[in-house]
Each structure stands twice: as C-alpha cells, then as structure tokens.
Amino acid sequence: MPNRALRLSTRAFVQVRAPMGAFDATLGNVSPGGARLLGVPDRMLRISDWVAIHAAGLSLSAEVRWHFDDTCGVMFEEPLTDYHISLILAARGLY
C-alpha cells in the first residue's frame, strides 16, 4: 500500500469558486498535496473541475479528485508549504 501524506485535521472555513458558482465550505483536513472539503452544495462540483479555494488569505488552485454526498477531495495544483498549512490551521473558525 502506498504511503499517504499526513493529513492534518482542521475545521477552517473557506470560500470555493467553481465552474458552477461560488460557495462556502469547511476544510475537513489538509496536506501539502490536497484537502477534503465538507459542506459542498448539491451539483456544485464534478470530478476533474478546477476550483479556487480561498483560505486564510491564500488563493489555492485545486482539481476535484473525488466527490461523495456533500464531501469532496481536491489535489492542489502546487503543493502547499509548511507555512501555508500553518496559516490554514491557525485560521480555523475565524470566518
């Protein structure tokens, strides 16, 4: 089984801009390579959509890799640095 990147649990509030429109969501976890979004409205995202995630003053480009109910997984276009992850973790609950 391949090694998975360490996923850090968070409840940071984010805004997502997607092809079907913008919506608010919550990051359930984050790693350098991707994140899990919670609270995705029905029919707002499809697998392979590119989205912009606005979190903690950052704008992150990501591709939707999987989607189930109101949850999806995204892979960032560029891996996050430790600094970016620390900003996101510090921002949970601030919006």
Side-chain angles (χ1 to χ4, degrees):
M1 177 148 65
N3 289 339
R4 286 176 33 146
L6 176 65
R7 286 159 172 74
L8 300 168
S9 181
T10 184
R11 287 294 183 260
F13 297 113
V14 299
Q15 185 176 66
V16 180
R17 294 193 189 283
M20 299 296 286
F23 58 90
D24 294 329
T26 303
L27 283 182
N29 65 39
V30 65
S31 73
R36 180 174 43 154
L37 290 175
L38 309 172
V40 176
D42 285 345
R43 294 183 289 277
M44 287 297 287
L45 292 179
R46 295 186 182 124
I47 294 171
S48 80
D49 278 352
W50 281 90
V51 298
I53 300 170
H54 300 279
L58 303 170
S59 183
L60 309 168
S61 181
E63 181 182 14
V64 178
R65 301 301 296 240
W66 59 267
H67 188 278
F68 182 75
D69 288 337
D70 71 342
T71 304
C72 76
V74 298
M75 183 174 74
F76 298 124
E77 183 174 30
E78 297 289 329
L80 300 185
T81 65
D82 290 344
Y83 176 70
H84 292 141
I85 291 173
S86 68
L87 286 175
I88 292 167
L89 294 177
R92 60 183 144 204
L94 295 181
Y95 288 89

